[in-house]
Amino acid sequence: MIIDDKLIAYLEELSRLHLSDDEKERAKEDLSKIISYVNKLSELDTEGLEAMSHPFDYTNNFRTDEAKPSFDRELILKNAPKSKDGCFLVPKTVE
């Protein structure tokens, strides 16, 4: 992949950044180094290896959903400036 002024301008537009000429030159050099480093991956022999999405053999471990006792509602509502029908009463925000 060739990193040229056209690509830098495109990336600048996508990222909504405005780079100076010096920053554009540095970005071209940095992107070239990054791409050449990533291209080294093509040198690896991956024949016969299974594709994987994560380096660890791990699946989601969800806990069982169990109902547990909660705080006493009346105790919590003691801290409320106003309450109504067992809930916090707050000022109306939408007319």
Side-chain angles (χ1 to χ4, degrees):
M1 176 180 231
I2 298 171
I3 309 297
D4 57 1
D5 292 331
K6 184 178 177 182
L7 178 63
I8 295 298
Y10 177 68
L11 294 174
E12 191 177 17
E13 182 181 336
L14 283 178
S15 62
R16 291 184 164 79
L17 292 175
H18 300 287
L19 302 176
S20 67
D21 291 338
D22 189 41
E23 290 171 326
K24 289 178 185 180
E25 287 303 315
R26 258 188 289 141
K28 279 200 287 190
E29 291 172 16
D30 290 344
L31 286 173
S32 295
K33 288 178 185 176
I34 291 169
I35 290 174
S36 67
Y37 185 75
V38 170
N39 282 336
K40 287 186 179 185
L41 294 175
S42 64
E43 297 173 10
L44 294 174
D45 181 21
T46 57
E47 189 67 33
L49 294 178
E50 184 179 337
M52 52 198 234
S53 62
H54 198 273
F56 303 110
D57 186 26
Y58 182 79
T59 58
N60 291 333
N61 294 326
F62 296 110
R63 63 175 171 79
T64 56
D65 192 15
E66 300 172 6
K68 296 181 180 180
S70 184
F71 293 102
D72 180 34
R73 182 181 291 239
E74 295 304 319
L75 179 65
I76 292 173
L77 288 174
K78 282 184 184 178
N79 294 320
K82 294 181 183 178
S83 63
K84 181 180 178 182
D85 300 327
C87 298
F88 287 97
L89 186 62
V90 296
K92 188 174 183 177
T93 58
V94 178
E95 297 280 337

